Every structure is written in C-alpha cells, then in structure tokens.
C-alpha cells in the first residue's frame, strides 16, 4: 500500500492503457462475479456426481461380471447327486476359473442379516448354491445353460446380468447426467457472460465510438472488455469452486458396509478435477466476451 | 494524403453532397465554410472515414477507403488528427488522459511522451486543469483540449470542425498559430468554420484556400473575403 502511495498520482493514472479506458461498472461486475461463483459451485457438484456414479458403475460391473451362481432345486435325496453332476459340467466348461459349493454354514451367514442367526436351515427347502468365478476369457452362458438343462433339470444358472444390467445402466446414466450438467453449466455461464458483456458494450457505446475515432483497433477495445470479464469470471469461479469443494468434503460419509452409495465426493487425485473449473470459467469468459465484442464492433465504423 | 474524387453523400433523404472532389496534399491549408446544415461536418466525416461515400472514391494515404479493413482504418486514423464539433471525450477520464489517449490506443508509451504532453497542455492553457474531468471544463477549454488531443500524435492531416466556436479571439489566434505552425511543418490542415475573422487572419499568415459548400457542391471561394 505504501508503495502505491509513493508512486506519483499522474503516473499511476496514465499508465495501464486499456485497463482504464472502459469506465468501471460496479453492478454488472458484481452480477458477473456472482453468476460465475454460483455456476462453479454447481459444477463442483455435477462433477462429484459424475465421479461417484462412474465409480459405482465400474464397481458393479466389475464385481458382478466375474461371478455367477448355479442354483439347484431338487428333492432332498437327489441334491447331492445333482450337485456332483453340475460340478462336473462346470469343471469341463471353458472359461470358468473356479466353481465352489457354498456350504450350509456359509449359506447361514448369508441369510443371517435377513432372518437372524437362529435360522433352522435344515427345515427349509433351500436350494443348493454353487458360486462360479469366470476367468479372463469368460464362458458362454447360453451354452452352459443348455448343458445344465440337459444334465440336471433342477439347476439354474444365474449370471446376475438380469439385475446387474439395469443397475449399471442407471449408474452410467447418472454419470452422463453429471457430464451433461457440466456442459449445460458451462454453456449457461458462457451465455450469461456474453449477455453481461453485451450490456457493458451497449452501456459503453460512446466510449467505443471515441476509441475508434482516435484510431483504436478492435483488438484494443476488445482486450479492455475481455480482460475485465475474464478476471471476474475466474475470480467468481474460484470462490464458487472453493465453497463447492468444502461442501463436498464435509458431506456426511455414506455407510461403508452398504457400499451401495459410494459417497458423493472425490477420491485421491480426483480432488484436482474441480480445480479445472475456474480455468474453464476463464476460457469461457474469454471467448464469450471476445465473440460478443467483435460482433458488436462490426456494427461501428 | 486524403483525396476525394467525385464523391457524393446521402443520409437517405436526398443527396447532401454531390460530385465533390478535393485533394488534401502535404502542406496544404484549407478552410471549409457554408451555411449551417450544408454538410461541413459530413464532409469531414467522409475524410476521417466515419462515413462511406455513397458514390465516388475516397483515398486515404494511397489506399481506397472502400478496400480498407477495420484495422487499416484504425491505423489511418492515427495519422489524422480530428477536432470534433462536439469534442468526443471519454467522460470518466481526466482531461490529461483524454489528450494522451491516442498514444495509449496506438500502443505508445504515454510516460515517454510526458514532456510532450506537458508542453501541449501548457500551449492550450490547460495545465492547471489537467486533472479535471471533461464535464468540469468550459466549452472553450474542451475545444482546446480537443485540439491538443488531435495533434498529440503529430498527425499528417489535421481536420478541425469549428475549433474556435467557443473561445475568445485571443485564444482563437493562439490556436490558429498552433495550426499554422503545424502546417509549416508539412501537415495538411482543413478547418470547418464560420469565423471569417479567423480565415482572414490565417490568410495573412499562410497560403490558405477557402472552400464553400453551396447547393451540394464544393466551390472555391475567391477573393470575396
Ligand atoms: N446521421 C444523420 N442522419 C441523417 N441526417 C443527418 C445526419 N447527420 C447530419 N444530417 C443532416 O445532414 C445535414 C448536414 O449536416 P452537417 O452536420 O454535415 O452540417 P454542418 O454543415 O456541419 O452544419 P453546422 O454548421 O451546423 O455544424 C443536416 O441537414 C443534418 O440534419
Ligand atoms: Mg457541423
């Protein structure tokens, strides 16, 4: 501050050419700042949403794709024989890494959360379950189904696609919605800045006229406006992004046991992603203002 | 340097200027007279390329104005100093900055020209008012400032629209002598004015030609002054 005061007033006021040729406009400046901040805030959430749903989709498709279950419904006395037959089929099927009979204990553990630990498993007509893990190449599920049907009428292959597909689809859709939101937010911000720039250009028509008359090139005039709006957009977006990131960071953590929601947030290096928002805002403001300014200048001599 | 050849102009309600020709050569000194509304300001606007001739050709520094791009026009305007009838300042900047503005927009350092600016402000008697805003100046002070801004780039051509409309006779003579001085340095000068005294005084100092717009045409007014 002291440094500034020691600079002679005249020097300070005559330097910095295009900075001062446009009169300051408090109101549009504040509106632009606010819009940029709000849009950046929303963009952080859209980004967090698409990140989280992306993770969800990846995890579901990865985990569920690798495993399948064969369920054997048969009278009690035939179960063991059928299980053996199924295991034989599975062992000779190409693309299956492992097939494992799920024992009574394990079945009990699986069901305990729903029916309590004291479930009399023996009394229930529970099917026998066999877990099938596929290897890298994978197996032909239709072929396997046909072979199972031929050998053991009570065996049903459940490769989870039935309920996995819609879930993964939903998560993928959620991710695209997040991305579409980001695109829309970007375009809206561009539109708002173009509108604000247009208003500023209209309000300063006389200034622009005078500048042209004394020999200013379009680029000089455009620079004065672009500089201003880019700085405002970046400033606003920095504030909005910071607030958005803080809000995301302090979201209550989703239950880890359920794992159904992976938590709306960023993981690891993904925390750097929202930092691109102010950059993007600056770029958008730069181009939107340039476009608006050159368009308007073409109407003058 | 600026040449009009059979130029006509029409704002839309009939021709205002017809078949006008003029060559502003280096070192020439012209006065432009005519009744109010005759088209003097319009004529000057054709010269500094704010208006495009509806017929005929305008050349600026050897280039046909019609073929010039926006940047070419901007660059040509830096070589033409204009005193506008209504001054045309940036109202939010102090007058000293307004005068230095042509330097700033053409990318020249205003601090390097600070001495020049000081002298010029002194010349037009505005040194004490350097930090005033245009709105705070009197009509005559504004016109002096406008003249200072017109000449700060040391342009090849100076066009002045009623530059002495609001100043007293002493100041008029002073401004005229500045223009005469510049003319002797080889600049082409064109002054639109009603002030016959000014024309007479100028004629005693330089070889000035007096043009008159009459019935849409540009005539050379002769010895009748
Ligand atoms: N932008 C415009 N649109 C339509 N008509 C115009 C425009 N500007 C000027 N005119 C008309 O053209 C005529 C000439 O105007 P101009 O300003 O050139 O006159 P002038 O000779 O400079 O007059 P004065 O001595 O009063 O300054 C006037 O009748 C004016 O009304
Ligand atoms: Mg006029």
């Amino acid at each position: 501050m002291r440094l500034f005061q020691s600079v002679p007033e005249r020097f300070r006021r005559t330097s910095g050419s295009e900075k001062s040729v446009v009169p300051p406009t408090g109101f549009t400046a504040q509106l632009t700042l606010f819009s940029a901040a709000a849009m950046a805030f929303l963009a952080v959430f859209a980004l967090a949403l698409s990140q989280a749903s992306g993770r969800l989709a990846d995890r579901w498709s990865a985990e569920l794709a690798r495993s399948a279950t064969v369920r054997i419904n048969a009278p009690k006395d035939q179960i063991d024989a059928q299980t053996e037959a199924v295991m034989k089929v599975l062992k000779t099927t190409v693309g299956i890494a492992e097939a494992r009979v799920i024992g009574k204990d394990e079945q009990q553990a699986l069901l305990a959360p729903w029916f309590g630990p004291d479930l009399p498993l023996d009394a229930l007509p529970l099917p026998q379950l066999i877990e099938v893990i596929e290897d890298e190449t994978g197996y032909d599920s239709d072929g396997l189904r046909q072979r199972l049907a031929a050998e053991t009428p009570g065996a049903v292959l459940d490769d989870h696609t039935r309920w996995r597909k819609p879930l993964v689809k939903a998560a993928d859709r959620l991710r695209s919605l997040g991305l579409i939101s980001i695109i829309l937010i970007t375009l809206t911000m561009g539109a708002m800045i173009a509108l604000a720039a247009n208003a500023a250009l209209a309000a300063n028509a006389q200034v622009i006229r005078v500048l042209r008359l004394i020999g200013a090139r379009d680029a000089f005039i455009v620079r004065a406006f672009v500089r201003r709006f880019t700085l405002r957009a970046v400033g606003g977006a920095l504030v909005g992004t910071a607030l958005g990131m803080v809000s995301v960071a302090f979201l209550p953590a989703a239950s880890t046991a359920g794992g159904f929601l992976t938590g709306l947030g960023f993981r690891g290096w993904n925390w750097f992603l929202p930092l691109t928002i102010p950059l993007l805002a600056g770029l958008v403001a730069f181009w939107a203002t340039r476009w608006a300014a050159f368009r308007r200048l073409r109407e003058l001599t | 340097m600026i040449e009009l050849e059979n130029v006509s102009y029409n704002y839309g309600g009939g021709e205002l200027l017809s078949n006008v020709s003029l060559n502003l050569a280096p070192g020439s000194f012209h006065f432009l007279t005519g009744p109010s509304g005759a088209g003097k300001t319009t004529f000057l606007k054709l010269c500094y390329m704010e208006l495009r001739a509806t017929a005929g050709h305008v050349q600026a520094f050897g280039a046909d104005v019609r073929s010039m791009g926006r940047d070419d026009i901007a660059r040509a305007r830096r070589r033409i100093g204009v005193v506008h009838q209504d001054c045309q300042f940036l109202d939010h900047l102090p007058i000293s900055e307004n005068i230095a503005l042509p330097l700033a927009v053409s990318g020249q350092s205003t601090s390097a020209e600070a001495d020049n600016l000081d002298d010029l402000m002194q010349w037009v008697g505005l040194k004490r008012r350097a930090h005033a805003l245009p709105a705070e100046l009197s009509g005559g002070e504004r016109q002096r400032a406008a003249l200072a801004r017109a000449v700060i780039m040391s342009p090849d051509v100076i066009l002045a629209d009623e530059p002495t409309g609001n100043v007293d006779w002493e100041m008029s003579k002073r401004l005229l002598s500045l223009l005469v001085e510049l003319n002797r340095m080889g600049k082409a000068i064109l002054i639109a004015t009603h002030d016959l005294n000014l024309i007479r005084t100028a004629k005693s100092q330089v070889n000035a030609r007096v043009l008159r717009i009459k019935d849409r045409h540009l005539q050379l007014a002769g010895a009748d002054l």
Side-chain angles (χ1 to χ4, degrees):
Chain A
M1 274 288 108
R2 279 196 59 94
L3 185 80
F4 268 105
Q5 276 156 13
S6 66
V7 175
E9 169 77 353
R10 222 182 97 244
F11 177 75
R12 200 150 43 99
R13 293 182 81 174
T14 48
S15 63
S17 49
E18 72 258 20
K19 232 184 306 178
S20 57
V21 295
V22 183
T25 43
F27 190 54
T28 14
Q30 278 159 20
L31 282 182
T32 314
L33 264 172
F34 171 76
S35 318
M39 287 293 142
F41 189 80
L42 294 178
V44 171
F45 281 100
L47 203 57
L49 175 71
S50 67
Q51 285 290 308
S53 45
R55 280 198 300 274
L56 208 56
D58 289 348
R59 218 183 58 195
W60 281 344
S61 47
E63 278 179 12
L64 299 175
R66 319 246 48 203
S67 78
T69 318
V70 177
R71 197 170 65 237
I72 302 164
N73 279 310
K76 251 196 163 104
D77 50 329
Q78 287 175 31
I79 265 208
D80 287 343
Q82 287 209 11
T83 305
E84 214 169 296
V86 168
M87 285 301 277
K88 212 186 279 169
V89 170
L90 291 175
K91 290 240 164 67
T92 56
T93 304
V94 196
I96 290 180
E98 194 190 327
R100 189 173 62 86
V101 177
I102 294 183
K104 286 272 179 282
D105 302 350
E106 217 178 322
Q107 237 168 344
Q108 178 130 29
L110 279 173
L111 293 173
W114 279 275
F115 299 106
D118 302 327
L119 186 69
L121 264 194
D122 294 331
L124 288 171
L126 279 180
Q128 174 65 53
L129 298 178
I130 300 172
E131 188 185 29
V132 179
I133 309 281
E134 65 180 273
D135 65 14
E136 254 83 84
T137 50
Y139 59 88
D140 165 24
S141 58
D142 286 337
L144 179 59
R145 248 186 216 111
Q146 278 165 19
R147 285 180 63 201
L148 285 175
E151 306 251 341
T152 50
V156 178
L157 172 70
D158 181 2
D159 62 359
H160 303 173
T161 41
R162 204 162 20 89
W163 64 277
R164 177 189 67 189
K165 268 189 182 149
L167 273 181
V168 171
K169 207 166 151 190
D172 271 337
R173 191 62 61 79
L174 213 55
R175 168 159 51 182
S176 1
L177 276 181
L179 289 177
I180 289 172
S181 306
I182 290 173
I183 292 170
L184 285 179
I185 287 169
T186 308
L187 292 178
T188 308
M189 179 143 120
M192 279 189 314
I193 289 186
L195 284 175
N198 242 326
L201 288 160
N204 289 299
Q206 175 61 13
V207 169
I208 293 171
R209 206 180 106 79
V210 171
L211 290 174
R212 278 298 296 176
L213 282 179
I214 59 172
R217 294 196 305 133
D218 286 353
F220 177 89
I221 300 169
V222 168
R223 237 177 0 247
F225 286 92
V226 163
R227 189 194 146 81
R228 204 171 265 206
F229 280 96
T230 305
L231 287 179
R232 278 177 202 162
V234 171
L238 273 173
V239 173
T241 303
L243 291 177
M245 285 173 75
V246 168
S247 315
V248 168
F250 286 103
L251 272 181
S255 135
T256 43
F260 185 73
L261 280 167
T262 66
L264 194 64
F266 302 100
R267 295 271 184 281
W269 67 270
N270 282 351
W271 274 105
F272 288 103
L273 276 181
L275 296 180
T276 56
I277 291 173
L279 223 70
L280 186 67
L283 276 177
V284 167
F286 179 85
W287 288 110
T289 316
R290 250 178 92 84
W291 174 78
F294 274 116
R295 225 172 80 103
R296 188 165 275 267
L297 280 169
R298 273 202 302 273
E299 295 162 9
L300 299 168
T301 53
Chain B
M1 284 176 282
I2 296 182
E3 202 173 341
L4 288 80
E5 204 186 314
N6 297 325
V7 167
S8 301
Y9 193 78
N10 186 344
Y11 278 112
E15 222 156 63
L16 184 65
L17 296 170
S18 298
N19 261 328
V20 171
S21 298
L22 178 68
N23 182 14
L24 294 179
S28 65
F29 202 119
H30 289 96
F31 281 103
L32 181 63
T33 62
S36 177
K40 299 184 292 296
T41 299
T42 305
F43 185 87
L44 293 185
K45 281 181 175 169
L46 287 166
C47 292
Y48 61 79
M49 298 162 277
E50 182 170 354
L51 297 176
R52 293 273 165 108
T54 42
H57 292 280
V58 179
Q59 288 208 333
F61 308 106
D64 191 323
V65 170
R66 234 183 296 244
S67 70
M68 287 165 79
R70 295 178 59 78
D71 284 354
D72 299 328
I73 288 183
R75 270 186 283 265
R77 280 178 178 164
R78 293 175 191 171
R79 303 174 62 184
I80 307 175
V82 183
V83 180
H84 299 273
Q85 198 165 9
D86 44 1
C87 294
Q88 308 274 10
F89 290 120
L90 295 189
D91 295 329
H92 65 287
L93 292 183
I95 205 67
S96 59
E97 275 184 52
N98 263 291
I99 292 173
L101 208 54
L103 297 170
V105 303
S106 61
Q108 297 181 29
S109 152
T110 45
S111 42
E113 299 276 335
D115 286 346
N116 207 344
L117 181 63
D118 262 12
D119 289 349
L120 200 54
M121 302 277 300
Q122 183 93 46
W123 231 106
V124 294
L126 287 174
K127 203 156 167 50
R128 282 185 312 111
R129 306 290 285 140
H131 298 298
L133 294 176
E136 298 163 359
L137 297 182
S138 74
E141 284 172 329
R142 269 202 291 276
Q143 276 186 330
R144 286 183 264 154
L147 181 61
R149 187 184 65 182
V151 302
I152 189 142
M153 293 276 281
S154 185
D156 299 325
V157 181
I158 295 161
L159 309 173
D161 202 349
E162 304 280 2
T164 57
N166 282 312
V167 298
D168 60 42
W169 179 237
E170 279 310 307
M171 187 47 80
S172 293
K173 280 199 292 188
R174 205 183 156 98
L175 296 185
L176 180 67
S177 67
L178 175 63
L179 289 170
V180 167
E181 197 80 33
L182 291 165
N183 178 245
R184 292 208 173 110
M185 291 163 62
K187 322 255 179 223
I189 314 264
L190 173 59
I191 305 174
T193 186
H194 288 118
D195 191 342
L196 296 185
N197 269 334
L198 189 74
I199 297 177
R200 272 187 214 110
T201 312
K203 280 188 123 178
S204 69
Q205 297 175 28
V206 289
N207 181 18
R209 298 211 299 161
V210 181
L211 307 165
R212 177 184 292 150
I213 299 177
K214 196 179 174 201
D215 300 330
R216 313 197 312 271
H217 292 286
L218 195 65
Q219 304 172 338
L220 194 61
D224 53 325
L225 278 166

